[in-house]
Amino acid sequence: MTEVKIVEDCTASAETAFAYVNDYRNLPRFISEIHEFTPVTDQVEGVGATFDGIIKLGPATLHSRIQVVRWEEHAAIAVKSIKGFEIESTFLFHDKGEATCTVDAIVEYRVPGGIAGRVLGKTIEPFVKLAVKHSTHNLTTQIAEFHASRQS
């Protein structure tokens, strides 16, 4: 598996950051490469919630069904693909006070074996790194705005 990890401080509490990421409808707002993200279960949060997603990375369009595999209120959300493109994403929220936290965004992915897999891996790797960095920046900016709106 290839891992990309970005750590960024955020002007919001870990509780607020968690609440923003926990709402699946916000995902396409901060990850612009996601073109569709739809729940396939009635449960939309917590371990077991399952979603279908379509992500576009450069010239590649990838389909995955992901499931929440870790959910620790105000601390962590992790998803893992159970069908399609193999990906694991984890968001960790580290409280640093009432209005500050650190967000770790960790994305791990695996491409299929063989020549086609190696070509796909080389094609999407720079896009994945850029997407994770861009998404983390978008996320922390949007969380700060969400936090400010909750304070009003």
Side-chain angles (χ1 to χ4, degrees), residues 74-128:
H74 307 182
I77 299 173
V79 298
K80 182 177 183 177
S81 61
I82 56 174
K83 181 178 166 188
F85 179 66
E86 286 188 60
I87 190 163
E88 293 180 38
S89 297
T90 303
F91 292 95
L92 302 174
F93 309 94
H94 308 282
D95 208 357
K96 296 176 89 176
E98 191 174 305
T100 307
C101 70
T102 299
V103 177
D104 297 2
I106 306 154
V107 175
E108 297 177 87
Y109 65 94
R110 182 186 326 251
V111 294
I115 294 171
R118 286 194 297 274
V119 170
L120 176 62
K122 289 192 182 302
T123 301
I124 69 170
E125 184 174 2
F127 294 104
V128 170

Side-chain angles (χ1 to χ4, degrees), residues 6-10 101-105 133 136-138 140-141:
I6 305 292
V7 177
E8 198 165 314
D9 287 336
C10 182
C101 70
T102 299
V103 177
D104 297 2
K133 183 175 183 173
T136 306
H137 176 74
N138 285 347
T140 55
T141 301

